[in-house]
Amino acid sequence: MRFLGAILLILLSACEAPVAEHREEVPLRLFRWEGKSPRVEVLPAEPLRVEVRLYRAGRELSAHLRALGGLEAEGDLALVLEEGGRAVAEAFGEGRTVRGRAAFLRAAGRARGPVCAFWLVSLSPDPFREEALEVRSYEASGRLCEEER
């Protein structure tokens, strides 16, 4: 029955309006380590567009995180859905943006009361090198909550 509810939620989210939505453009930044803390500069490059949407159908809920545009980049995405300070769903994954394709992550769960989606995007156009003293990266995080029910 839970599987059927998840399928229904996916289908509904394709045609239903989200109960909450957030969009932002994230600039490409250069993090240069000098001593104990990094120096951060905003670079002139196409920004990454981040979209977070929260859907609900009864007790079934779903959050979608998309990152698109910007330079081709790869890294980590995360979503945590919370109801009253208690995690009801989590999703963590590696994402990659390529021209015309978005990095995507989805978390789904069940809750009676209002929920918040905590999200994180950390994508870099530079290959990972442990000894690197500087790296270009798109970094963003936030919280998206539905209204009181």
Side-chain angles (χ1 to χ4, degrees):
M1 191 59 148
R2 188 173 209 177
F3 177 73
L4 184 58
I7 289 175
L8 178 61
L9 185 61
I10 291 170
L11 293 173
L12 285 174
S13 68
C15 59
E16 289 285 321
V19 294
E21 184 173 25
H22 172 78
R23 294 175 189 223
E24 74 176 78
E25 289 191 346
V26 179
L28 181 64
R29 292 183 175 95
L30 175 68
F31 294 85
R32 182 175 292 139
W33 278 263
E34 298 172 348
K36 293 186 179 190
S37 60
R39 193 176 83 208
V40 181
E41 301 173 31
V42 174
L43 297 176
E46 180 184 353
L48 184 72
R49 292 186 318 276
V50 174
E51 300 173 355
V52 184
R53 293 185 177 105
L54 187 58
Y55 298 92
R56 180 183 281 275
R59 291 184 55 201
E60 302 289 330
L61 53 104
S62 174
H64 299 180
L65 171 61
R66 287 183 43 176
L68 60 156
L71 300 177
E72 289 188 12
E74 60 184 280
D76 299 314
L77 304 172
L79 273 171
V80 177
L81 299 175
E82 286 190 356
E83 175 189 29
R86 179 182 61 87
V88 295
E90 300 175 336
F92 304 95
E94 293 181 2
R96 183 172 188 190
T97 60
V98 180
R99 288 281 173 216
R101 294 185 57 199
F104 180 80
L105 187 65
R106 176 181 173 274
R110 296 170 58 94
R112 293 182 193 276
V115 296
C116 289
F118 294 89
W119 56 272
L120 168 89
V121 173
S122 178
L123 301 175
S124 175
D126 300 325
F128 176 74
R129 293 187 331 262
E130 190 171 323
E131 69 282 352
L133 294 177
E134 63 181 42
V135 65
R136 296 176 302 161
S137 185
Y138 294 105
E139 302 285 335
S141 61
R143 182 175 111 169
L144 176 66
C145 297
E146 67 179 327
E147 298 295 319
E148 293 294 324
R149 296 174 51 79

